[in-house]
Amino acid sequence: NRINYKKKYLSSNHSNSLTNVTNDMKGLVVINDDDMNDDNDLSNWLIIKLGSINLLDTLYKLRYNGEMELSDVIQNITKLTDSKLLHMLENRFHMRAHLLALKKFLLLGQGDFVTCLMDSVGPELRKRSNQLYRHNLTGMLEGALRSSNAQYEPSYVLDRIGVRLLEPSPGDSGWEVFSLDYKIDTPLNAIVHSDAIAKYRTAFHMFWRLKRVEWSLSASWKQMMTFVHTRGDKQLPRLKPVIHRCTLSRGRMLHVINNLCAFIMFEVLETAWLTFQEKLSKASCLDDVINSHDLYLEEILDRALLTSKHENLNLQIQQLLQSILRFCTLEESLIADAMAAIARKRSTVSISNKRSIL
């Protein structure tokens, strides 16, 4: 009978108790490391909390074959440690503020900041990757933070934002190696672990490339308007139909990119964030928070077509973006050559006028 009882107990309650003990240990390690300013000792804090719900009396009364009572004690201790840990993460370590900052800066959800950053680092990133200096880009990043609403973020958020330069490949420009970074330390690295950071970076490079294409098209339009306002198309009439076709093509490209960016920012990022916030509010332990965060990132990667099952479609999008960037480069060269031709023509006219006067 004792053997049958042990088999029945081990198959049900013991495994749950062991899981609860493991969860307790994870929570207690964080509390022991980071919350001893008030109670100075983990055992004192635990004894106080256990005494408040009369669990110490239950522990003292445990006898042989009292496994069910022990299981109840473990479950109550689990609730205490989970509640303490979540309270610390929310209030002392600003968990929600840092998760929101990751969305704003690594996932480019802060639109005005992204615009300021693009205008600041765009010309610099056109250089070759071996001509970039991290301290220069860091200064531009700080300027973008001060010029946007990101300046109102708390200091414990702003101090963690930085620039990260990837290992360059031959022929890479600054656009290919530039990346934003956000420092995560204990205990938040239990939630934003190394795999999660890798997913953030995967999403960042895709979103950054989209923003780069959008910025390049806008810069191309500004350059074209400058050329038109200088009456360049009047002085080079043979160029007028080419400019017209470029304007139509750019408009179609901008329409596609604007819709793709809107889909990523609103249908993917914001929807996933709202779902994550709901799950975070219902979380009862650290594992719930970690799982919710992992699912949040997986949903973003899946809906943004960045997973292996969407590899073919993602490749087509990358080819589309590369074609648009090539178009912007060619249009920029066309306008530069046209402006140079107009300058030469004006110089020739000026010289001939001087000679006629003489």
Side-chain angles (χ1 to χ4, degrees), residues 269-311:
L269 189 56
E270 291 299 329
T271 302
W273 175 255
L274 290 176
T275 303
F276 175 50
Q277 288 294 98
E278 292 177 2
K279 293 181 180 179
L280 202 59
S281 301
K282 298 177 182 178
S284 59
C285 64
L286 179 61
D287 283 339
D288 290 344
V289 176
I290 295 173
N291 293 334
S292 299
H293 184 251
D294 290 344
L295 290 174
Y296 160 68
L297 292 177
E298 289 174 5
E299 181 181 355
I300 290 175
L301 294 182
D302 182 61
R303 299 195 65 190
L305 310 177
L306 296 174
T307 55
S308 57
K309 67 179 182 180
H310 298 119
E311 185 175 358

Side-chain angles (χ1 to χ4, degrees), residues 87-255:
H87 177 78
M88 287 172 50
L89 290 174
E90 290 276 1
N91 297 280
R92 181 172 177 181
F93 297 104
H94 314 289
M95 176 184 68
R96 289 180 184 266
H98 289 301
L99 292 174
L100 180 58
L102 285 167
K103 169 182 171 285
K104 287 182 176 180
F105 300 110
L106 283 194
L107 298 181
L108 306 181
Q110 181 90 18
D112 59 331
F113 161 74
V114 176
T115 301
C116 293
L117 182 63
M118 280 285 179
D119 292 337
S120 180
V121 304
E124 184 75 11
L125 295 182
R126 292 183 176 183
K127 299 179 180 179
R128 297 178 64 85
S129 58
N130 56 8
Q131 296 176 334
L132 294 180
Y133 296 96
R134 186 173 176 273
H135 61 273
N136 290 340
L137 296 172
T138 300
M140 295 175 184
L141 170 64
E142 292 173 354
L145 290 171
R146 290 193 298 270
S147 302
S148 64
N149 285 332
Q151 64 181 304
Y152 301 112
E153 294 288 339
S155 59
Y156 56 78
V157 168
L158 294 177
D159 292 343
R160 294 172 181 263
I161 307 170
V163 172
R164 181 172 179 265
L165 295 179
L166 306 179
E167 190 68 26
S169 300
D172 279 351
S173 67
W175 289 105
E176 279 74 38
V177 301
F178 177 83
S179 177
L180 290 180
D181 193 23
Y182 194 87
K183 297 178 183 177
I184 295 292
D185 49 21
T186 55
L188 294 178
N189 59 359
I191 301 169
V192 190
H193 45 78
S194 57
D195 290 341
I197 289 293
K199 292 176 181 178
Y200 272 112
R201 288 174 179 162
T202 299
F204 171 84
H205 290 301
M206 175 61 182
F207 299 167
W208 181 250
R209 189 170 175 82
L210 278 173
K211 293 295 184 180
R212 173 196 175 184
V213 172
E214 187 180 36
W215 180 82
S216 299
L217 286 170
S218 298
S220 177
W221 175 81
K222 291 177 184 178
Q223 191 176 28
M224 181 65 75
M225 289 299 101
T226 302
F227 176 74
V228 171
H229 290 159
T230 57
R231 301 293 182 179
D233 55 338
K234 303 295 183 182
Q235 300 185 46
L236 297 174
R238 294 172 59 185
L239 199 61
K240 191 170 183 178
V242 178
I243 293 176
H244 179 67
R245 291 183 60 185
C246 286
T247 302
L248 293 178
S249 298
R250 190 191 324 106
R252 288 193 290 267
M253 294 175 184
L254 196 57
H255 175 74

Side-chain angles (χ1 to χ4, degrees), residues 14 58 67 72-73 103-104 124 145 174 181 190 213 215 244 298 314 332 341 344 350 352-353 355:
H14 186 65
T58 305
E67 290 87 351
D72 293 338
V73 170
K103 169 182 171 285
K104 287 182 176 180
E124 184 75 11
L145 290 171
D181 193 23
V213 172
W215 180 82
H244 179 67
E298 289 174 5
N314 183 45
E332 181 181 349
R344 288 194 300 269
S350 177
S352 62
N353 290 336
R355 287 178 178 176

Side-chain angles (χ1 to χ4, degrees), residues 54-67 69-70 73:
N54 298 322
L55 280 179
L56 287 178
D57 294 339
T58 305
L59 286 172
Y60 292 143
K61 295 177 182 178
L62 282 178
R63 296 292 184 269
Y64 183 72
N65 289 338
E67 290 87 351
E69 289 80 1
L70 179 60
V73 170

Side-chain angles (χ1 to χ4, degrees), residues 29-75:
V29 165
V30 176
I31 296 172
N32 192 34
D33 288 341
D34 296 294
D35 196 42
M36 291 300 101
N37 293 332
D38 297 330
D39 300 316
N40 296 321
D41 183 61
L42 176 62
S43 59
N44 290 339
W45 174 83
L46 194 56
I47 289 174
I48 292 172
K49 294 298 182 182
L50 293 178
S52 65
I53 56 175
N54 298 322
L55 280 179
L56 287 178
D57 294 339
T58 305
L59 286 172
Y60 292 143
K61 295 177 182 178
L62 282 178
R63 296 292 184 269
Y64 183 72
N65 289 338
E67 290 87 351
M68 295 301 298
E69 289 80 1
L70 179 60
S71 177
D72 293 338
V73 170
I74 292 174
Q75 289 179 4

